[in-house]
Amino acid sequence: MPIAKTLRYQFMKDLGAPALMRFAQTGKKRPRKKPNPHFGPPLKSAERLKEIMTRHYYLSRFAEGAKPIAWVTSGAPVELLRPFGFYTIYPENHGALCGAQKMAPELCAEAEEHGFHQDLCSYARTDLGHYFSRKTPAGKLPKPDLLFASNNICQTVVYWFKALARYLNIPLVLFDTPYNFEEITEIDISYMIRQFEEMIPVLEQASGQTFNYPKFQEIIRLARDSSLAWGEVLSTMKARPAPMTIFDAFIHLAPIVSLRGLPLTLDYYHLLLDELKERVAHGVGALKNEQKRLMWDNIAIWYKVRDYSNLFAEHDMNFVVATYTNAWAETTPYMDENRPLESMVKAYSLVILNNNLNHRLRLMERLIKEYHVDGLVIHSARSCKPYSVGQYDLKRLLMERLEVPSVVIEADITDSRAYSEEQTNTRLEAFFESME
Amino acid sequence: MIKPEPPPRKEYLQQQKETHGRHLFGVFPAQYPREILWALNVLPVEIWDPPLEVSHANAHLQPYICSVVKQGLELILQGKCDDLDGFLFPHTCDSIQNLASIVNDYLGLDKPCYFFYHPKAPYRASSRQYYIEQLKLFVSRLEKQLGPMEPAQLQHRVSQGQKMAALIRELYNLRANRGLRASNAHFYQAIRYTEYLHPDDLIPLLEGFLADSKGESGGGRAVILSGVLPNPPELLTLLDDQGVRVADDDLLSCSRRFLMPPSQAEDPFEALTEGYFGMPPCTTKDSPVSERLDYLLQKIDRTGAKGIIFYVVKFCEPELFDIPQVVEELKKRGVVTLIIDTELHQGLSGQLKTRVEAFVEMIR
């Protein structure tokens, strides 16, 4: 990597970015929003989260030319990239950001103009729209040197990254995880370990660095501890009242998804956990009057997070658990620095979306009991077939087994054009009535 | 008219069961080692596009799920698979993956369900090793239900699979070089018998069809079909009526599964592995876009086709993701393209017919 760019990156990382961000903060005059009377005090840690994520995206523009850059899918075993010094960008996280900022429909339309059908995943269309237009709420994303994907969350990410690989003329490294139809076999495990072994020379070549095993072990330890801390963060919502809502968790999820294996992620979750424990100890809830406790299934509807947060709070209903946020706490604790490759195989191939629907049913039953859930909101997401196909049966089975009322919202993760306000309101009104 | 004469599907399956004691397995798309099933006296009956009105499946599947998956589930829910002895779900896409789990985990059917995972591209040494291990594991799982497999039977069925592939290769070669007189509709009717005929019947049928239809085809323009399967079949008839010859295809249910080079391996598992990795590039195997593009360009060169029709089942993500880059490149090279995005059994609307006719005008 050129020395000048490396020095510039290092300067920005240590001094420039923090200084600029402090300056930007002092110059900002935010209009005071009238607080929603249904909510308890906001989380103080949110400010630190914002700093971390803003700095990550800001610094990424200086990483180009200074560090090898990889675009990574949310379920890919990023720990393998970290010892090589890759700066990692998560297009799904970026898609969520675009969705929350209500920029996704514009970017999806850009992709559609280039022939990508409106029926395709909107994370993919958002990202491809960014590729064609360079528009992003993050200012600028660095051009990747490598794409790193795993099909443990869906096949879609591979189709999408294949398209990017050709546009950008860069290699795509795939971690292929056989679907766990009944149970994972020794053959599956050996196949996945062999893939890791095959990837190492490819990553050495792409990064120009040799593989540092002790560093890799340390990263595995950090990733596991961060996942454990994230799991503890989520567990605080078992308390009544829960100290945060799942809408907070959707936002606080960002570091465990996209900065996993880095020390600041672990530090951040310790900070957040301390705050949540304190709130639990003092009986401070996310809602002032938590009457009903809900579970969310599937990825968030990013352009509706704030609206839903307010709507459900006004009904004194708090989402205390989600299969989605739980995904980064469920299997990553399997990671073991003493058996890094084998333990990574289990951590990554047994994730909820690579697992059969019986597993999902058992998981949801357990979470409903542990978190004392009164009702379930199921987001049937057009963009995410592995998450959505099977939900109608899950709804029926959970009602039969646990008598949990539920509602299905037909929507999309970032493309608000696939969302019908009227139809959703009708369904939600019926759901609210059933919960009374 | 050269028309292959098939036995009616329902009667044929019943006869297979009664006369030959064969087990019938419903097999969902797309790639699977059929020779292993044949060797265990199982007849794979593929479920691509049963002609049914979807009603029950809507209680299980969202409106944005493709009609291959919906109609397959509908077939099961309407009790039309009750005579089958099991199901096989190859790992083709996210929707079939989850359909497999719905059927296995939630429907409470009293039938064994098998799943076959094939490694995804880009291929490495581990992919090949995994595939061969998967084949052997698949055999051992089936043996628990069906009893031991005779090695000689597998050898024999692998040879039959190679014979079938050789016949199909010859049919495609003749078709590409104007050496086959069969209409588009009859050609695909013959190819689609691979979906349920036993090789003992399929091979003679293909041989007969080949012998009967050899001969110079008409002088119409050539096109290539790409996509999932030749349904709605009205497109083929319309092209026949327009004097357009489908000179080759890149259809998942047709050439993508059969046009591989012959294997020299003596070991049947090795031969099946060579067959899998020798298959043409395919979206459902994550083949790189550039490989598919090169493959399509070779087909264009070979056949002199002036256009490609992308005949896509609505909501089919693997196909839809590749199309923009493939079409962009084809257009640069002067190849005319038409994208048809439709449900199964929807026929050709007036609008679609007009689009096809306009496409045909452009390649004249």
Side-chain angles (χ1 to χ4, degrees), chain B residues 260-326:
Chain B
M260 56 276 209
S263 165
Q264 305 301 320
E266 283 182 15
D267 176 74
F269 290 104
E270 284 289 345
L272 291 175
T273 305
E274 272 187 23
Y276 175 75
F277 290 100
M279 283 178 190
C282 179
T283 56
T284 68
K285 288 155 68 181
D286 294 344
S287 304
V289 180
S290 50
E291 272 183 30
R292 286 201 63 225
L293 186 63
D294 290 346
Y295 182 71
L296 283 172
L297 291 171
Q298 278 171 22
K299 283 184 181 287
I300 288 167
D301 286 347
R302 195 168 80 116
T303 60
K306 300 289 176 207
I308 298 188
I309 300 176
F310 292 89
Y311 202 29
V312 184
V313 178
K314 197 163 169 50
F315 303 116
C316 180
E317 277 209 334
E319 293 299 305
L320 289 171
F321 261 105
D322 271 13
I323 284 178
Q325 288 179 319
V326 171

Side-chain angles (χ1 to χ4, degrees), chain B residues 94-113:
Chain B
D94 290 324
S95 297
I96 288 183
Q97 167 193 290
N98 278 32
L99 171 71
S101 197
I102 288 177
V103 174
N104 191 46
D105 296 332
Y106 291 167
L107 294 190
L109 299 180
D110 189 21
K111 290 184 196 302
C113 293

